Amino acid sequence: MVQFNINRFGKLARWSLTNDKKYHIKSFFQNLVIFTLVFVFFTSVDVKWNQQNANYFPCSLAAIVAIGVTLILGSSFMFYSMDRKHDMQTLLMLPASNLEKYLVRYASWIILLPIQLVAFFAADLVQYVYGLVVGHEELRFVTSAVLDMLGNMWHQVPAGKHYVVVIGLALLAVWLHSVYALGATFFRTRKHNWIPTTAIILMLVMLMIWILPHTLTDPEQRGSSASDMVMNTIYVLLVVLNFWLSYRLFCRQQVIGKLVNV
């Protein structure tokens, strides 16, 4: 069988969207309710911080953290919608290649991003209308507060370090994302596989700090462009390795089996 056929992949994607429709609708309303409660609560309490529009700071922080968590942990949600007993068995029996099935399941989390953004904008509109009704003195959209926060964070970085910081954070986020993709196929549990994966990441970080304490903390040891290039290359290789291992474990997926897919 040809590993990738665009027509077959399209049919598989439509099948996946149809079966995941209830899960996506539930995800939208969950995000809408959570964002709305957070925005309405923090814009209604009396905040004593000495800064303008202080009520919108926790709203902005909550929105940025929520979207950031989705971007990093999103790959661990590949099988969240497959909560019925025979869903995995049905997927494995579909007339498609393992590569196509893996790509469809991986892409399923990407749909959560526009769903989350729509829920965020809807909740932002709700809090603005609520503020008009109750007569809040400092009234604005959370969206503008988020943009201001991101702009302030950008200006806090030295001008000559923007490229290094952006590349470094992006590679770190992609590496973490690839680790969660590996965890999603390594652990058989479809839900909450991010918990043991997070524990493994924490242990890896502690091991790196123990082995390379000076390199990680001394800016003189990690400030050269050559060392940055070496670290970036290592990150890219680790990302490729994690996704390759994730795909290989997906091919060994077992409907009934042990705790892990090995």
Short mmCIF file of all heavy atoms in Angstrom, two decimals, residues 12 14 135 238:
data_model
loop_
_atom_site.label_atom_id
_atom_site.label_comp_id
_atom_site.label_asym_id
_atom_site.label_seq_id
_atom_site.Cartn_x
_atom_site.Cartn_y
_atom_site.Cartn_z
N LEU A 12 -10.26 9.98 5.13
CA LEU A 12 -9.98 9.65 6.51
C LEU A 12 -10.16 10.88 7.40
O LEU A 12 -10.68 10.78 8.53
CB LEU A 12 -8.56 9.11 6.64
CG LEU A 12 -8.11 8.63 8.03
CD1 LEU A 12 -8.98 7.47 8.50
CD2 LEU A 12 -6.64 8.22 8.00
N ARG A 14 -12.18 13.45 6.83
CA ARG A 14 -13.62 13.72 6.97
C ARG A 14 -14.26 12.75 7.96
O ARG A 14 -15.12 13.15 8.75
CB ARG A 14 -14.30 13.61 5.60
CG ARG A 14 -14.00 14.77 4.67
CD ARG A 14 -14.95 14.80 3.49
NE ARG A 14 -14.79 13.61 2.65
CZ ARG A 14 -13.96 13.54 1.62
NH1 ARG A 14 -13.19 14.58 1.32
NH2 ARG A 14 -13.87 12.44 0.90
N GLY A 135 -21.67 48.81 34.59
CA GLY A 135 -21.05 50.12 34.68
C GLY A 135 -19.63 50.13 35.20
O GLY A 135 -19.28 50.96 36.05
N LEU A 238 16.42 16.05 18.21
CA LEU A 238 15.58 15.43 19.24
C LEU A 238 14.10 15.49 18.86
O LEU A 238 13.35 14.54 19.10
CB LEU A 238 15.79 16.13 20.58
CG LEU A 238 17.12 15.85 21.29
CD1 LEU A 238 17.25 16.69 22.55
CD2 LEU A 238 17.28 14.37 21.61
#
